[in-house]
Amino acid sequence: AQKVTQAQTEISVVEKEDVTLDCVYETRDTTYYLFWYKQPPSGELVFLIRRNSFDEQNEISGRYSWNFQKSTSSFNFTITASQVVDSAVYFCALSESPHRNTGKLIFGQGTTLQVKP
Amino acid sequence: NAGVTQTPKFRVLKTGQSMTLLCAQDMNHEYMYWYRQDPGMGLRLIHYSVGEGTTAKGEVPDGYNVSRLKKQNFLLGLESAAPSQTSVYFCASSYSGRAEQFFGPGTRLTVL
């Protein structure tokens, strides 16, 4: 069975600190996708990144970076120089194999990040 | 482009009442999904559809029904609401099973 674990329920940092959100997943599929979504206090879900299981290159987008390690089944998310606007709940999600073509996602429990000024 | 819209935004029901949540997307997406979000549990898939006229069960389908009569709409029905169905419901759509999903703003449902 597929599973996503975000062990950090809540994280609190002071502005400008770096913070890493952990995501560990379990799957028997050899091909899959991993995602990160952001849910700000307003409640909507915002797509951040999609990663194919064959692509283990780290990705950087501005202050955001993602570290995908297939060997440890982890897909961690780092925010550099955090800002108050980064305060949100962050979800990691795992898809079924694309061969099944359902797009079904399994979400982690979410990590609430609070960035204090 | 409105993206994914959901109606209503809020609703309060009494136990045993029925209601339908409407999801609409204007992105010509084939795939649509209904999730529920409960504290500490992330989002869980209720039902999904991979195309007009098709539906399938997700992780937590009991107590819900869905219909996808038109490509742009995905309806979620509660025939006899229960307090355990108090939750925030999100609809999402994507153009394929490999693509990212775009989410609606959510519907907050309370069942008394």
Side-chain angles (χ1 to χ4, degrees), chain A residues 31 33 35 37 39 42-47 50 89 91 95-99 101-110, chain B residues 31 33 35 37 40-45 48-50 57-59 90 94-105:
Chain A
T31 308
Y33 288 95
F35 301 80
Y37 283 87
Q39 186 176 42
S42 52
E44 74 274 21
L45 282 141
V46 179
F47 165 75
R50 179 185 70 156
V89 182
F91 291 99
S95 75
E96 277 193 343
S97 168
H99 298 300
N101 207 26
T102 64
K104 291 165 64 177
L105 293 181
I106 299 294
F107 281 82
Q109 304 92 318
Chain B
Y31 294 67
Y33 308 85
Y35 295 89
Q37 182 179 16
M41 302 187 74
L43 282 81
R44 293 180 293 168
L45 183 65
Y48 65 100
S49 168
V50 300
K57 293 180 181 179
E59 186 184 354
F90 285 96
S94 65
Y95 74 82
S96 80
R98 301 165 186 249
E100 65 270 23
Q101 295 178 16
F102 293 87
F103 284 80

Side-chain angles (χ1 to χ4, degrees), chain A residues 17-90:
Chain A
E17 283 186 16
D18 298 347
V19 58
T20 295
L21 282 60
D22 297 333
C23 173
V24 174
Y25 62 93
E26 297 174 26
T27 182
R28 292 181 181 176
D29 292 335
T30 55
T31 308
Y32 48 89
Y33 288 95
L34 293 160
F35 301 80
W36 276 95
Y37 283 87
K38 174 182 179 180
Q39 186 176 42
S42 52
E44 74 274 21
L45 282 141
V46 179
F47 165 75
L48 295 177
I49 190 171
R50 179 185 70 156
R51 173 63 68 199
N52 186 316
S53 57
F54 286 115
D55 182 2
E56 289 196 66
Q57 271 196 323
N58 290 334
E59 180 151 346
I60 299 174
S61 176
R63 296 184 296 108
Y64 294 172
S65 62
W66 291 268
N67 184 326
F68 174 35
Q69 292 199 341
K70 210 167 179 178
S71 60
T72 57
S73 297
S74 65
F75 186 42
N76 297 337
F77 174 31
T78 297
I79 302 175
T80 303
S82 60
Q83 299 176 2
V84 173
V85 293
D86 296 325
S87 297
V89 182
Y90 290 87

Side-chain angles (χ1 to χ4, degrees), chain B residues 80-99:
Chain B
S80 179
S84 60
Q85 293 177 305
T86 293
S87 188
V88 180
Y89 292 85
F90 285 96
C91 177
S93 71
S94 65
Y95 74 82
S96 80
R98 301 165 186 249

Side-chain angles (χ1 to χ4, degrees), chain B residues 48-67:
Chain B
Y48 65 100
S49 168
V50 300
E52 181 179 323
T54 73
T55 63
K57 293 180 181 179
E59 186 184 354
V60 289
D62 293 343
Y64 305 94
N65 56 74
V66 288
S67 65

